[in-house]
Amino acid sequence: MHGLSSGFSVLDASQPWLAFWSLNSLDIMGRKIDSATRTRALQTVLRFQDPRGGFCGGQHQLPHLAGTYASVMALVLVGGDDAFASINRERMYEWLMTMKREDGAFAVHEGGEVDVRGVYCVLVVASLLNIMTAELVSGVAEFVARCQTCEGGLGPYPGVEAHGGYTLCALAALEIIGSTHVLDLKRLARWMSARQMAFEGGFSGRTNKLVDGCYSYWVGGAFSILQRALSRTPQDDLLYERRALQRYVLACCQDTRIGGLRDKPGKSADLYHTMYGLLGLSLAQHYVGVDPQTRISDTTSVYSVPARMMQWDVVTSAADVVGVSSNVVKPVHPVYGVSLVPLAKCIKYFYALPPLAPSL
C-alpha cells in the first residue's frame, strides 16, 4: 500500500484490482486500514469512476465490468458514508443496462467479450448498490445454465471447457438471484470434487491441470455455495478435505523470501494469489453457510436479495483450523469474497435508499 515498482506498469488497466487485492488481504488478516491509507485508497479509486457510469481500469480508459467490480469492492472495504455516497447509482445502472445482451449475458465493456465473469460482476455490484431490477436480471439464469458442460462444471460461455473461476462466478451469480436450481448440482459436485489434488491438497482449475493456489477460493468458495444449494448442513461438512487445503496454502503457497502467497512452490508471491489464497484459507477454516431450515426462498422482492445474502453466517462449532491460532484469518462471505462486517455496512447503507424497482 506504499507504492509499486515500475514492473507493475503492465497492470495499468487493472489499477482498481491492485487496490482491492491489497485492501482485502489486509482486512482478511485482521489488519486495520489506517486513515491515511483509507484516504489514499478512496481518492485513487474515485479517479476511475466514469461520468457515463461504471469504473475504468485506469484513468482515461473505457469503463469495464471487471474494473467496476474491483472498484466497488475496494470502496466496500474502505467503508464510510462518504465512500458509498461517491458512487453514482443512477449512472451505474444506466451503464450496466447498455452492457446487457439479448441472451441474458453482459459484455464486459463496449464491444468487449461476453462471459459469466461479466454476469457475476454485474450482479455483485447491483445487489450491493440496491439497483437490481427485473430488466437487469432477465435471462441471466438461462444464460448461466447453458454454460454448464458435459463434465458438470461451468465454462465462460456455452460450449467451452469447464473452469474453476467461471464456476464460482456462475454459482455466485445464481445464488444472488436465488436460481442455483437451474444447474445439475450433482454433476457439478462430482466435477468440483475431482479438482482437489490427492497429493498436494490444493485445487486445480480444470481437468488434467496442475494445482494453483488461487483456486483455493475459486473452487473452495464454490463448494460453500454448493453446500447451500444442496441444502447440506454443518454436520454434513463441505464436500472437500478442508484440512488438506489449509496445509497446501500454509505449507506450499507462502513465499518465505518476500512474504505473500503464490501459485505453487517455485513461483513468486503476488497480490492476486495472496488475496485468493487467503480467501480460500478462510473458507476452509470457518464454516460459513445458511441453515436449510430457515433459508429465505423469496426471489421476487428487491429486499429479498440482501435478506438472503445476510443469512450467511459463521457456524463457530464447525471451525476446523490447522496449526497454531495465529494461522486463523477472518471469516468471509463466499459469494462476495470479503469479510462480513464491511459487507453488512455497505448493504445497510444502500438498502436505506429507495430501490430502482419495487420487485424483481
Side-chain angles (χ1 to χ4, degrees):
M1 297 304 294
H2 297 285
L4 297 169
S5 69
S6 59
F8 283 86
S9 61
V10 295
L11 295 175
D12 180 62
S14 300
Q15 293 180 57
W17 287 99
L18 299 174
F20 174 46
W21 294 332
S22 301
L23 292 169
N24 204 21
S25 295
L26 289 170
D27 182 63
I28 295 168
M29 291 187 293
R31 296 294 299 270
K32 183 176 175 59
I33 299 170
D34 61 66
S35 59
T37 301
R38 180 188 183 276
T39 298
R40 185 160 159 246
L42 180 58
Q43 292 174 345
T44 298
V45 172
L46 290 182
R47 284 201 293 266
F48 306 139
Q49 187 164 206
D50 192 282
R52 296 165 294 179
F55 287 77
C56 310
Q59 289 182 272
H60 312 301
Q61 299 176 17
L62 286 173
H64 193 290
L65 290 181
T68 297
Y69 164 85
S71 296
V72 169
M73 298 312 293
L75 293 174
V76 169
L77 292 161
V78 164
D81 289 1
D82 56 338
F84 300 146
S86 67
I87 302 173
N88 190 325
R89 294 168 67 234
E90 290 74 18
R91 290 290 176 84
M92 175 73 77
Y93 178 77
E94 293 169 3
W95 175 71
L96 292 178
M97 287 303 297
T98 66
M99 298 296 105
K100 179 79 174 177
R101 287 167 37 106
E102 291 183 1
D103 62 0
F106 297 85
V108 295
H109 62 81
E110 184 180 351
E113 67 269 29
V114 176
D115 56 50
V116 293
R117 290 176 310 155
V119 173
Y120 172 70
C121 291
V122 167
L123 293 186
V124 165
V125 169
S127 64
L128 289 177
L129 304 187
N130 190 11
I131 56 173
M132 297 277 281
T133 66
E135 291 75 20
L136 189 73
V137 303
S138 173
V140 163
E142 293 79 7
F143 172 79
V144 174
R146 291 195 297 272
C147 295
Q148 188 167 25
T149 73
C150 59
E151 288 186 282
L154 289 103
Y157 47 86
V160 180
E161 181 185 13
H163 183 283
Y166 295 113
T167 295
L168 181 284
C169 289
L171 259 181
L174 292 175
E175 172 63 20
I176 290 172
I177 60 175
S179 296
T180 54
H181 61 275
V182 303
L183 299 178
D184 183 335
L185 296 173
K186 290 186 178 180
R187 191 151 49 95
L188 173 59
R190 285 195 297 270
W191 179 84
M192 287 171 54
S193 297
R195 302 280 63 75
Q196 188 165 31
M197 301 290 98
F199 177 74
E200 298 94 332
F203 293 115
S204 68
R206 291 180 286 161
T207 302
N208 294 325
K209 293 294 182 179
L210 298 176
V211 66
D212 185 330
C214 70
Y215 294 112
S216 302
Y217 172 67
W218 294 125
V219 179
F223 269 113
S224 295
I225 303 170
L226 180 66
Q227 187 84 349
R228 169 172 167 140
L230 292 173
S231 298
R232 290 170 60 86
T233 67
Q235 289 70 38
D236 300 319
D237 208 353
L238 297 169
L239 289 170
Y240 71 94
E241 223 302 311
R242 293 163 64 187
R243 296 180 70 83
L245 178 63
Q246 291 179 62
R247 285 193 291 269
Y248 178 72
V249 173
L250 294 169
C252 299
C253 293
Q254 292 195 77
D255 190 326
T256 57
R257 182 174 57 89
I258 61 173
L261 300 178
R262 58 194 175 191
D263 166 353
K264 59 177 68 68
K267 301 292 186 70
S268 296
D270 57 65
L271 295 174
Y272 168 87
H273 284 92
T274 295
M275 189 194 82
Y276 288 113
L278 287 170
L279 285 172
L281 178 65
S282 172
L283 289 167
Q285 291 177 343
H286 307 283
Y287 185 100
V288 181
V290 177
D291 184 347
Q293 302 301 317
T294 60
R295 61 186 295 177
I296 297 171
S297 57
D298 176 41
T299 59
T300 60
S301 167
V302 169
Y303 297 102
S304 70
V305 177
R308 283 186 289 104
M309 291 302 99
M310 294 316 298
Q311 268 203 306
W312 289 84
D313 202 2
V314 184
V315 180
T316 54
S317 61
D320 189 3
V321 176
V322 169
V324 296
S325 60
S326 59
N327 289 343
V328 179
V329 295
K330 280 186 181 181
V332 298
H333 198 296
V335 172
Y336 294 96
V338 294
S339 63
L340 303 179
V341 171
L343 182 65
K345 289 180 178 179
C346 174
I347 288 176
K348 180 179 179 181
Y349 176 90
F350 284 106
Y351 281 85
L353 303 176
L356 299 188
S359 65
L360 299 177

PDB file of all heavy atoms in Angstrom, residues 280-307:
ATOM      1  N   GLY A 280      -9.492 -18.553   0.270  1.00  0.00           N
ATOM      2  CA  GLY A 280      -9.660 -19.997   0.345  1.00  0.00           C
ATOM      3  C   GLY A 280      -9.299 -20.548   1.707  1.00  0.00           C
ATOM      4  O   GLY A 280      -9.987 -21.440   2.235  1.00  0.00           O
ATOM      5  N   LEU A 281      -8.230 -20.006   2.304  1.00  0.00           N
ATOM      6  CA  LEU A 281      -7.830 -20.421   3.648  1.00  0.00           C
ATOM      7  C   LEU A 281      -8.945 -20.131   4.645  1.00  0.00           C
ATOM      8  O   LEU A 281      -9.280 -20.967   5.492  1.00  0.00           O
ATOM      9  CB  LEU A 281      -6.552 -19.695   4.050  1.00  0.00           C
ATOM     10  CG  LEU A 281      -6.018 -19.988   5.457  1.00  0.00           C
ATOM     11  CD1 LEU A 281      -5.587 -21.442   5.590  1.00  0.00           C
ATOM     12  CD2 LEU A 281      -4.852 -19.044   5.789  1.00  0.00           C
ATOM     13  N   SER A 282      -9.540 -18.946   4.541  1.00  0.00           N
ATOM     14  CA  SER A 282     -10.617 -18.559   5.451  1.00  0.00           C
ATOM     15  C   SER A 282     -11.800 -19.507   5.354  1.00  0.00           C
ATOM     16  O   SER A 282     -12.331 -19.975   6.374  1.00  0.00           O
ATOM     17  CB  SER A 282     -11.075 -17.129   5.135  1.00  0.00           C
ATOM     18  OG  SER A 282     -12.237 -16.796   5.866  1.00  0.00           O
ATOM     19  N   LEU A 283     -12.237 -19.812   4.133  1.00  0.00           N
ATOM     20  CA  LEU A 283     -13.417 -20.662   3.954  1.00  0.00           C
ATOM     21  C   LEU A 283     -13.135 -22.109   4.342  1.00  0.00           C
ATOM     22  O   LEU A 283     -14.072 -22.863   4.648  1.00  0.00           O
ATOM     23  CB  LEU A 283     -13.909 -20.572   2.511  1.00  0.00           C
ATOM     24  CG  LEU A 283     -14.554 -19.221   2.158  1.00  0.00           C
ATOM     25  CD1 LEU A 283     -14.728 -19.080   0.652  1.00  0.00           C
ATOM     26  CD2 LEU A 283     -15.895 -19.069   2.869  1.00  0.00           C
ATOM     27  N   ALA A 284     -11.860 -22.513   4.339  1.00  0.00           N
ATOM     28  CA  ALA A 284     -11.509 -23.849   4.811  1.00  0.00           C
ATOM     29  C   ALA A 284     -11.466 -23.894   6.341  1.00  0.00           C
ATOM     30  O   ALA A 284     -11.768 -24.922   6.944  1.00  0.00           O
ATOM     31  CB  ALA A 284     -10.168 -24.285   4.234  1.00  0.00           C
ATOM     32  N   GLN A 285     -11.092 -22.786   6.965  1.00  0.00           N
ATOM     33  CA  GLN A 285     -11.035 -22.734   8.427  1.00  0.00           C
ATOM     34  C   GLN A 285     -12.418 -22.592   9.052  1.00  0.00           C
ATOM     35  O   GLN A 285     -12.744 -23.247  10.045  1.00  0.00           O
ATOM     36  CB  GLN A 285     -10.170 -21.555   8.882  1.00  0.00           C
ATOM     37  CG  GLN A 285      -8.693 -21.695   8.579  1.00  0.00           C
ATOM     38  CD  GLN A 285      -7.915 -20.463   8.988  1.00  0.00           C
ATOM     39  OE1 GLN A 285      -8.472 -19.384   9.221  1.00  0.00           O
ATOM     40  NE2 GLN A 285      -6.592 -20.606   9.085  1.00  0.00           N
ATOM     41  N   HIS A 286     -13.230 -21.707   8.470  1.00  0.00           N
ATOM     42  CA  HIS A 286     -14.535 -21.366   9.032  1.00  0.00           C
ATOM     43  C   HIS A 286     -15.654 -21.961   8.180  1.00  0.00           C
ATOM     44  O   HIS A 286     -15.594 -21.911   6.953  1.00  0.00           O
ATOM     45  CB  HIS A 286     -14.724 -19.851   9.090  1.00  0.00           C
ATOM     46  CG  HIS A 286     -13.623 -19.124   9.794  1.00  0.00           C
ATOM     47  ND1 HIS A 286     -13.500 -19.097  11.161  1.00  0.00           N
ATOM     48  CD2 HIS A 286     -12.575 -18.407   9.302  1.00  0.00           C
ATOM     49  CE1 HIS A 286     -12.443 -18.386  11.495  1.00  0.00           C
ATOM     50  NE2 HIS A 286     -11.850 -17.967  10.383  1.00  0.00           N
ATOM     51  N   TYR A 287     -16.672 -22.483   8.829  1.00  0.00           N
ATOM     52  CA  TYR A 287     -17.861 -22.926   8.101  1.00  0.00           C
ATOM     53  C   TYR A 287     -18.810 -21.737   8.016  1.00  0.00           C
ATOM     54  O   TYR A 287     -19.379 -21.306   9.018  1.00  0.00           O
ATOM     55  CB  TYR A 287     -18.539 -24.100   8.802  1.00  0.00           C
ATOM     56  CG  TYR A 287     -19.707 -24.678   8.015  1.00  0.00           C
ATOM     57  CD1 TYR A 287     -19.544 -25.834   7.261  1.00  0.00           C
ATOM     58  CD2 TYR A 287     -20.952 -24.059   8.022  1.00  0.00           C
ATOM     59  CE1 TYR A 287     -20.600 -26.358   6.522  1.00  0.00           C
ATOM     60  CE2 TYR A 287     -22.008 -24.580   7.297  1.00  0.00           C
ATOM     61  CZ  TYR A 287     -21.830 -25.723   6.552  1.00  0.00           C
ATOM     62  OH  TYR A 287     -22.876 -26.242   5.822  1.00  0.00           O
ATOM     63  N   VAL A 288     -18.946 -21.180   6.815  1.00  0.00           N
ATOM     64  CA  VAL A 288     -19.861 -20.059   6.581  1.00  0.00           C
ATOM     65  C   VAL A 288     -20.991 -20.578   5.705  1.00  0.00           C
ATOM     66  O   VAL A 288     -20.757 -21.030   4.580  1.00  0.00           O
ATOM     67  CB  VAL A 288     -19.141 -18.881   5.886  1.00  0.00           C
ATOM     68  CG1 VAL A 288     -20.101 -17.723   5.677  1.00  0.00           C
ATOM     69  CG2 VAL A 288     -17.937 -18.431   6.711  1.00  0.00           C
ATOM     70  N   GLY A 289     -22.202 -20.563   6.222  1.00  0.00           N
ATOM     71  CA  GLY A 289     -23.308 -21.153   5.475  1.00  0.00           C
ATOM     72  C   GLY A 289     -24.656 -20.624   5.917  1.00  0.00           C
ATOM     73  O   GLY A 289     -24.743 -19.622   6.644  1.00  0.00           O
ATOM     74  N   VAL A 290     -25.705 -21.308   5.472  1.00  0.00           N
ATOM     75  CA  VAL A 290     -27.086 -20.925   5.758  1.00  0.00           C
ATOM     76  C   VAL A 290     -27.823 -22.161   6.265  1.00  0.00           C
ATOM     77  O   VAL A 290     -27.715 -23.237   5.666  1.00  0.00           O
ATOM     78  CB  VAL A 290     -27.798 -20.372   4.502  1.00  0.00           C
ATOM     79  CG1 VAL A 290     -29.253 -20.043   4.795  1.00  0.00           C
ATOM     80  CG2 VAL A 290     -27.062 -19.147   3.978  1.00  0.00           C
ATOM     81  N   ASP A 291     -28.560 -22.000   7.336  1.00  0.00           N
ATOM     82  CA  ASP A 291     -29.352 -23.099   7.879  1.00  0.00           C
ATOM     83  C   ASP A 291     -30.476 -23.444   6.903  1.00  0.00           C
ATOM     84  O   ASP A 291     -31.316 -22.586   6.601  1.00  0.00           O
ATOM     85  CB  ASP A 291     -29.944 -22.681   9.224  1.00  0.00           C
ATOM     86  CG  ASP A 291     -30.705 -23.819   9.913  1.00  0.00           C
ATOM     87  OD1 ASP A 291     -30.994 -24.838   9.255  1.00  0.00           O
ATOM     88  OD2 ASP A 291     -31.028 -23.656  11.104  1.00  0.00           O
ATOM     89  N   PRO A 292     -30.514 -24.662   6.364  1.00  0.00           N
ATOM     90  CA  PRO A 292     -31.567 -25.034   5.407  1.00  0.00           C
ATOM     91  C   PRO A 292     -32.979 -24.882   5.968  1.00  0.00           C
ATOM     92  O   PRO A 292     -33.934 -24.676   5.207  1.00  0.00           O
ATOM     93  CB  PRO A 292     -31.268 -26.505   5.087  1.00  0.00           C
ATOM     94  CG  PRO A 292     -29.838 -26.703   5.449  1.00  0.00           C
ATOM     95  CD  PRO A 292     -29.589 -25.784   6.594  1.00  0.00           C
ATOM     96  N   GLN A 293     -33.126 -24.942   7.295  1.00  0.00           N
ATOM     97  CA  GLN A 293     -34.449 -24.856   7.908  1.00  0.00           C
ATOM     98  C   GLN A 293     -34.994 -23.435   7.932  1.00  0.00           C
ATOM     99  O   GLN A 293     -36.213 -23.225   8.037  1.00  0.00           O
ATOM    100  CB  GLN A 293     -34.401 -25.400   9.347  1.00  0.00           C
ATOM    101  CG  GLN A 293     -33.919 -26.836   9.455  1.00  0.00           C
ATOM    102  CD  GLN A 293     -34.785 -27.797   8.658  1.00  0.00           C
ATOM    103  OE1 GLN A 293     -36.011 -27.703   8.675  1.00  0.00           O
ATOM    104  NE2 GLN A 293     -34.143 -28.711   7.941  1.00  0.00           N
ATOM    105  N   THR A 294     -34.127 -22.438   7.852  1.00  0.00           N
ATOM    106  CA  THR A 294     -34.567 -21.043   7.951  1.00  0.00           C
ATOM    107  C   THR A 294     -34.254 -20.227   6.703  1.00  0.00           C
ATOM    108  O   THR A 294     -34.454 -19.014   6.699  1.00  0.00           O
ATOM    109  CB  THR A 294     -33.916 -20.360   9.165  1.00  0.00           C
ATOM    110  OG1 THR A 294     -32.481 -20.389   9.010  1.00  0.00           O
ATOM    111  CG2 THR A 294     -34.287 -21.078  10.455  1.00  0.00           C
ATOM    112  N   ARG A 295     -33.770 -20.861   5.667  1.00  0.00           N
ATOM    113  CA  ARG A 295     -33.365 -20.119   4.471  1.00  0.00           C
ATOM    114  C   ARG A 295     -34.544 -19.401   3.832  1.00  0.00           C
ATOM    115  O   ARG A 295     -35.680 -19.892   3.813  1.00  0.00           O
ATOM    116  CB  ARG A 295     -32.699 -21.044   3.446  1.00  0.00           C
ATOM    117  CG  ARG A 295     -33.566 -22.148   2.925  1.00  0.00           C
ATOM    118  CD  ARG A 295     -32.793 -23.107   2.035  1.00  0.00           C
ATOM    119  NE  ARG A 295     -32.319 -22.472   0.814  1.00  0.00           N
ATOM    120  CZ  ARG A 295     -31.571 -23.090  -0.085  1.00  0.00           C
ATOM    121  NH1 ARG A 295     -31.160 -24.335   0.126  1.00  0.00           N
ATOM    122  NH2 ARG A 295     -31.201 -22.473  -1.185  1.00  0.00           N
ATOM    123  N   ILE A 296     -34.277 -18.223   3.325  1.00  0.00           N
ATOM    124  CA  ILE A 296     -35.300 -17.400   2.660  1.00  0.00           C
ATOM    125  C   ILE A 296     -35.362 -17.820   1.198  1.00  0.00           C
ATOM    126  O   ILE A 296     -34.348 -17.822   0.495  1.00  0.00           O
ATOM    127  CB  ILE A 296     -34.955 -15.910   2.778  1.00  0.00           C
ATOM    128  CG1 ILE A 296     -34.961 -15.493   4.259  1.00  0.00           C
ATOM    129  CG2 ILE A 296     -35.930 -15.055   1.972  1.00  0.00           C
ATOM    130  CD1 ILE A 296     -34.423 -14.094   4.489  1.00  0.00           C
ATOM    131  N   SER A 297     -36.555 -18.164   0.735  1.00  0.00           N
ATOM    132  CA  SER A 297     -36.707 -18.642  -0.638  1.00  0.00           C
ATOM    133  C   SER A 297     -37.284 -17.593  -1.577  1.00  0.00           C
ATOM    134  O   SER A 297     -37.233 -17.768  -2.800  1.00  0.00           O
ATOM    135  CB  SER A 297     -37.603 -19.891  -0.666  1.00  0.00           C
ATOM    136  OG  SER A 297     -38.861 -19.611  -0.094  1.00  0.00           O
ATOM    137  N   ASP A 298     -37.814 -16.493  -1.040  1.00  0.00           N
ATOM    138  CA  ASP A 298     -38.412 -15.467  -1.898  1.00  0.00           C
ATOM    139  C   ASP A 298     -37.348 -14.836  -2.802  1.00  0.00           C
ATOM    140  O   ASP A 298     -36.264 -14.494  -2.354  1.00  0.00           O
ATOM    141  CB  ASP A 298     -39.052 -14.378  -1.038  1.00  0.00           C
ATOM    142  CG  ASP A 298     -39.598 -13.229  -1.880  1.00  0.00           C
ATOM    143  OD1 ASP A 298     -40.196 -13.505  -2.938  1.00  0.00           O
ATOM    144  OD2 ASP A 298     -39.391 -12.068  -1.495  1.00  0.00           O
ATOM    145  N   THR A 299     -37.665 -14.719  -4.067  1.00  0.00           N
ATOM    146  CA  THR A 299     -36.740 -14.095  -5.023  1.00  0.00           C
ATOM    147  C   THR A 299     -37.413 -12.962  -5.788  1.00  0.00           C
ATOM    148  O   THR A 299     -36.858 -12.455  -6.759  1.00  0.00           O
ATOM    149  CB  THR A 299     -36.222 -15.136  -6.043  1.00  0.00           C
ATOM    150  OG1 THR A 299     -37.341 -15.701  -6.746  1.00  0.00           O
ATOM    151  CG2 THR A 299     -35.442 -16.233  -5.352  1.00  0.00           C
ATOM    152  N   THR A 300     -38.613 -12.553  -5.366  1.00  0.00           N
ATOM    153  CA  THR A 300     -39.371 -11.557  -6.130  1.00  0.00           C
ATOM    154  C   THR A 300     -39.197 -10.141  -5.608  1.00  0.00           C
ATOM    155  O   THR A 300     -39.312  -9.182  -6.368  1.00  0.00           O
ATOM    156  CB  THR A 300     -40.868 -11.904  -6.117  1.00  0.00           C
ATOM    157  OG1 THR A 300     -41.338 -11.915  -4.755  1.00  0.00           O
ATOM    158  CG2 THR A 300     -41.108 -13.267  -6.749  1.00  0.00           C
ATOM    159  N   SER A 301     -38.906  -9.991  -4.330  1.00  0.00           N
ATOM    160  CA  SER A 301     -38.757  -8.667  -3.747  1.00  0.00           C
ATOM    161  C   SER A 301     -37.322  -8.182  -3.893  1.00  0.00           C
ATOM    162  O   SER A 301     -36.372  -8.958  -3.776  1.00  0.00           O
ATOM    163  CB  SER A 301     -39.137  -8.688  -2.270  1.00  0.00           C
ATOM    164  OG  SER A 301     -38.731  -7.497  -1.627  1.00  0.00           O
ATOM    165  N   VAL A 302     -37.156  -6.890  -4.140  1.00  0.00           N
ATOM    166  CA  VAL A 302     -35.818  -6.302  -4.162  1.00  0.00           C
ATOM    167  C   VAL A 302     -35.111  -6.565  -2.838  1.00  0.00           C
ATOM    168  O   VAL A 302     -33.907  -6.836  -2.795  1.00  0.00           O
ATOM    169  CB  VAL A 302     -35.919  -4.786  -4.440  1.00  0.00           C
ATOM    170  CG1 VAL A 302     -34.580  -4.108  -4.203  1.00  0.00           C
ATOM    171  CG2 VAL A 302     -36.394  -4.530  -5.866  1.00  0.00           C
ATOM    172  N   TYR A 303     -35.864  -6.520  -1.752  1.00  0.00           N
ATOM    173  CA  TYR A 303     -35.273  -6.665  -0.423  1.00  0.00           C
ATOM    174  C   TYR A 303     -34.990  -8.121  -0.066  1.00  0.00           C
ATOM    175  O   TYR A 303     -34.347  -8.399   0.954  1.00  0.00           O
ATOM    176  CB  TYR A 303     -36.179  -6.013   0.621  1.00  0.00           C
ATOM    177  CG  TYR A 303     -36.309  -4.523   0.395  1.00  0.00           C
ATOM    178  CD1 TYR A 303     -37.446  -3.990  -0.206  1.00  0.00           C
ATOM    179  CD2 TYR A 303     -35.270  -3.663   0.738  1.00  0.00           C
ATOM    180  CE1 TYR A 303     -37.553  -2.630  -0.446  1.00  0.00           C
ATOM    181  CE2 TYR A 303     -35.368  -2.303   0.496  1.00  0.00           C
ATOM    182  CZ  TYR A 303     -36.507  -1.787  -0.096  1.00  0.00           C
ATOM    183  OH  TYR A 303     -36.605  -0.441  -0.335  1.00  0.00           O
ATOM    184  N   SER A 304     -35.447  -9.058  -0.890  1.00  0.00           N
ATOM    185  CA  SER A 304     -35.107 -10.451  -0.636  1.00  0.00           C
ATOM    186  C   SER A 304     -33.634 -10.710  -0.914  1.00  0.00           C
ATOM    187  O   SER A 304     -33.040 -11.631  -0.355  1.00  0.00           O
ATOM    188  CB  SER A 304     -35.967 -11.390  -1.493  1.00  0.00           C
ATOM    189  OG  SER A 304     -35.618 -11.298  -2.874  1.00  0.00           O
ATOM    190  N   VAL A 305     -33.038  -9.894  -1.769  1.00  0.00           N
ATOM    191  CA  VAL A 305     -31.623 -10.090  -2.116  1.00  0.00           C
ATOM    192  C   VAL A 305     -30.728  -9.862  -0.898  1.00  0.00           C
ATOM    193  O   VAL A 305     -29.976 -10.757  -0.508  1.00  0.00           O
ATOM    194  CB  VAL A 305     -31.210  -9.194  -3.303  1.00  0.00           C
ATOM    195  CG1 VAL A 305     -29.721  -9.360  -3.593  1.00  0.00           C
ATOM    196  CG2 VAL A 305     -32.034  -9.518  -4.534  1.00  0.00           C
ATOM    197  N   PRO A 306     -30.794  -8.676  -0.244  1.00  0.00           N
ATOM    198  CA  PRO A 306     -29.927  -8.523   0.939  1.00  0.00           C
ATOM    199  C   PRO A 306     -30.317  -9.462   2.072  1.00  0.00           C
ATOM    200  O   PRO A 306     -29.446  -9.926   2.829  1.00  0.00           O
ATOM    201  CB  PRO A 306     -30.136  -7.055   1.334  1.00  0.00           C
ATOM    202  CG  PRO A 306     -31.471  -6.688   0.777  1.00  0.00           C
ATOM    203  CD  PRO A 306     -31.551  -7.446  -0.522  1.00  0.00           C
ATOM    204  N   ALA A 307     -31.600  -9.767   2.195  1.00  0.00           N
ATOM    205  CA  ALA A 307     -32.026 -10.682   3.257  1.00  0.00           C
ATOM    206  C   ALA A 307     -31.401 -12.058   3.062  1.00  0.00           C
ATOM    207  O   ALA A 307     -30.904 -12.675   4.022  1.00  0.00           O
ATOM    208  CB  ALA A 307     -33.550 -10.785   3.271  1.00  0.00           C
TER     209      ALA A 307
END
